[in-house]
Amino acid sequence: MRRQRWYTPYLLVLPGVVWVFGFALWPFLNTVVLAFTDARPLRPVSFVGLANFQKLFDDERFVYAVTTSLVYVLVCVPLLTFLPLLLALLVHAKIPAIGFFRTTFYFPVIASAVVVAIVWEFLFSGSGTVNAGLKFFGLVDRPVEFLSDRWLLIGCAIGLTVWKGLGYYMVVYLAALGNLGRELHEAAAMDGAGRWRRFWSVTVPGVRGPMMLVSVLVCVAAMRIFTELYVLSNGSGGPGGRAMSMVMLIQSMGKGLNGQVGYASAISLVLFVMTLVPLAVVGVVNNQDLIREGAAERRMRRAARQVTRTEAAA
Amino acid sequence: MTLIRTRRSTTTPPTDPARPAALRRTDRPYRGGGSVDLMKPTLGGLVGKYGVLVVMLAVMVFPFLWQLATSLKGATENIYEFPPTLVPQAPTLDNYREVFRTIPVLDYAWHSLLVGVGTVASNLVFATLGGYALGALRFRGKGIVMAVFFSTLLLPGEVTLTSQYLTVKSLGLANTLWGVFLPGAVGAINVLLMAAACRMIPSDTLDAAIIDGANTWQRLRHIVWPNVRGMASVVALFAFIGAWDDFLWPLVVLSDPAKYTLTVGMQYLSSNFAANPRVIAAGTMVALIPIIVLFAVLQKQFFRGVEEGSVKG
């Protein structure tokens, strides 16, 4: 049943393939090569081996950037794994006007990070609403400079990321909750399981797969963080650039005529390896059963062989 | 916590066999005394639920409403007072006039729109074509092509940022909108999503069309497209939002403030004209309102697409 010319499918996928090669694989290979050079704009390029990577360890900006990104990951992953699940449970019920709530909870997701970061900047600036509130309740005498302290700035950015991400991951969970039957809930309730117990023993195991997916997505997204920190610090990366994320460092290293393209590529490569870690962990965890089964099977086979051997000997 | 406690006290299993639970189910949004429909809250639970929902609503939309209020407040009104006011005493459009005078907001919006519409159009066309080939046709090397598409999903755009810029520059497109648009013109994820949608088309239908003598174009137009429209709308919406909201890539590509897109323009406005937050707020509203309206109009389509298990992640 093939009434098309043999080349039709190839023509159809050609644009996609060209784009993937031109704007994903080629730049990636280029990054790998550049990471071992001292490339700068308008200058001859020469290979420098691992010099860029050696430089990384002595570069305190890189250490700060990695620290920022890792703290971001450590705080964001638990928050954005559980809070959206609770939110999804909240909007999962079929009650009147729930569609309105779902839609508005999604607004922060579709708004540009720049726009909401500017709002955040107003809220948390020295004269901003949050400080006015703190003063109103008499908690502080002098305004807290949220945006010019390294950790407070990172905290504000994390708050922004969590607030903006809630709706996105809520939708991921919603799709999963739709597939979760009510029978288990009813059976558990019959056995006298309370609401809290059912959440931990029915809902959470039921959405285990999506939960893994969400925590990996959050993990990778947190490592790629850029806009929030950039806008909140006005592009400076906080005091002394110590609140820079890795992507901010890449961007600031690679830009302009003095850009250290080779060095920026080396940082990019480190970032890439870091984003692969959570994926690898999930791969191992998901295939744990397979691995264990494989091991068990091998043990069984060996035992069987031994049995036959002893029988043959006897 | 109160919500949980009130609910727990009423979730005891029914003990009265004379009243079968099935008969007690009603269309009320809450659960009555003897009902065991666990998916419905009790009346108290329902009220508590709406309470929590309203609190969350406040958390999620307060920043937007506050920003909107700020953009409408006059120069004499305190914007940072506490408790914050969401209704300006004397609403004025002066800030909007001011922001249009300070930076070319309309040009920026036009640039964002061009990039957004271009991204949607090219993604829809090429992802549908590629998705059809990968999802519904058989050809040699399909597995390799699929593997290539899947492998790019592991590659964050930030990693290739520097060399992506070198590529675009070598094409002579640095500091142009074409340079902003081009790398996102065909997304691997979109091709894969469309392939998943095309796989759902019953092969009998396609075979029947072939017997009727329909050529590839006619099959795409009359059979494939009507079947994958739901997924296409999700792809289109995400492509548009992605392009409209993108910041890092336009920031890297564009160096001339006259060519900025809205997001880069807003950052430029906020870091260079910080004197008047009301004006900046007006600028951010220009960037925010179109995308919110677009989403509000298309949200039914979107959530239906998501329920079909097609979330983009």
Side-chain angles (χ1 to χ4, degrees), chain A residues 83-106 166-175 177-178 195, chain B residues 3 7 39 41 49-50 52-54 56-57 60 303 306-307:
Chain A
L83 292 181
L85 176 59
L86 296 178
L87 200 60
L89 286 172
L90 196 64
V91 299
H92 178 54
K94 286 195 172 60
I95 53 178
I98 201 68
F100 166 75
F101 286 105
R102 278 189 204 185
T103 309
T104 42
F105 289 178
Y106 207 74
L166 277 177
Y168 183 82
Y169 300 109
M170 171 193 87
V171 166
V172 178
Y173 281 124
L174 266 182
L177 287 176
R195 174 96 195 146
Chain B
L3 174 65
R7 292 266 209 101
M39 295 303 156
K49 196 158 211 169
Y50 277 115
V52 179
L53 279 171
V54 169
M56 281 312 292
L57 183 71
M60 297 309 242
F303 280 110
V306 168
E307 264 160 38

Side-chain angles (χ1 to χ4, degrees), chain A residues 138-254:
Chain A
L139 292 171
V140 290
D141 302 327
R142 234 179 301 144
V144 182
E145 294 294 336
F146 285 103
L147 303 179
S148 37
D149 174 271
R150 183 187 180 199
W151 291 113
L152 286 178
L153 175 65
I154 294 173
C156 282
I158 289 177
L160 175 55
T161 306
V162 170
W163 175 78
K164 192 168 161 28
L166 277 177
Y168 183 82
Y169 300 109
M170 171 193 87
V171 166
V172 178
Y173 281 124
L174 266 182
L177 287 176
N179 301 331
L180 198 66
R182 65 201 299 159
E183 291 81 7
L184 274 176
H185 266 286
E186 287 178 353
M190 292 293 177
D191 290 343
R195 174 96 195 146
W196 192 239
R197 186 67 210 271
R198 273 188 286 132
F199 172 72
W200 282 109
S201 307
V202 181
T203 310
V204 169
V207 294
R208 195 170 151 261
M211 220 167 195
M212 293 267 272
L213 173 73
V214 166
S215 50
V216 170
L217 290 178
V218 173
C219 201
V220 174
M223 281 183 214
R224 295 166 56 184
I225 206 69
F226 173 78
T227 308
E228 285 91 332
L229 283 167
Y230 186 92
V231 176
L232 283 179
S233 68
N234 258 329
S236 69
R242 284 183 296 170
M244 273 200 182
S245 71
M246 294 187 72
V247 181
M248 270 182 89
L249 192 59
I250 293 169
Q251 187 260 349
S252 71
M253 280 287 161

Side-chain angles (χ1 to χ4, degrees), chain A residues 9-10 19-20 23 27 31 96 103-104 106 110 112 127 129 132 163 168 171 182 186 195 224 234 268, chain B residues 7 37-39 50 57 59-60 66 80 139-140 152 158-159 163-164 182 241 245 263 271 295 299 306 312:
Chain A
Y10 297 100
W19 243 257
V20 162
F23 291 102
T31 304
T103 309
T104 42
Y106 207 74
I110 53 167
S112 162
S127 55
T129 306
W163 175 78
Y168 183 82
V171 166
R182 65 201 299 159
E186 287 178 353
R195 174 96 195 146
R224 295 166 56 184
N234 258 329
S268 307
Chain B
R7 292 266 209 101
D37 190 345
L38 284 169
M39 295 303 156
Y50 277 115
L57 183 71
V59 171
M60 297 309 242
W66 183 72
Y80 292 132
F139 59 96
R140 197 185 283 260
T152 50
E158 287 82 356
V159 169
S163 24
Q164 191 86 278
L182 216 56
I241 292 174
D245 288 349
T263 49
S271 58
F295 180 73
Q299 49 99 7
V306 168
K312 183 174 169 176

Side-chain angles (χ1 to χ4, degrees), chain B residues 20-33:
Chain B
L23 295 179
R24 302 275 313 167
R25 263 182 213 155
T26 58
D27 288 336
R28 284 176 305 187
Y30 58 89
R31 160 159 45 111

Side-chain angles (χ1 to χ4, degrees), chain A residues 34-48:
Chain A
L34 285 172
F36 298 95
T37 69
D38 63 352
R40 280 169 186 251
L42 311 175
R43 278 215 290 164
V45 177
S46 60
F47 278 88
V48 294

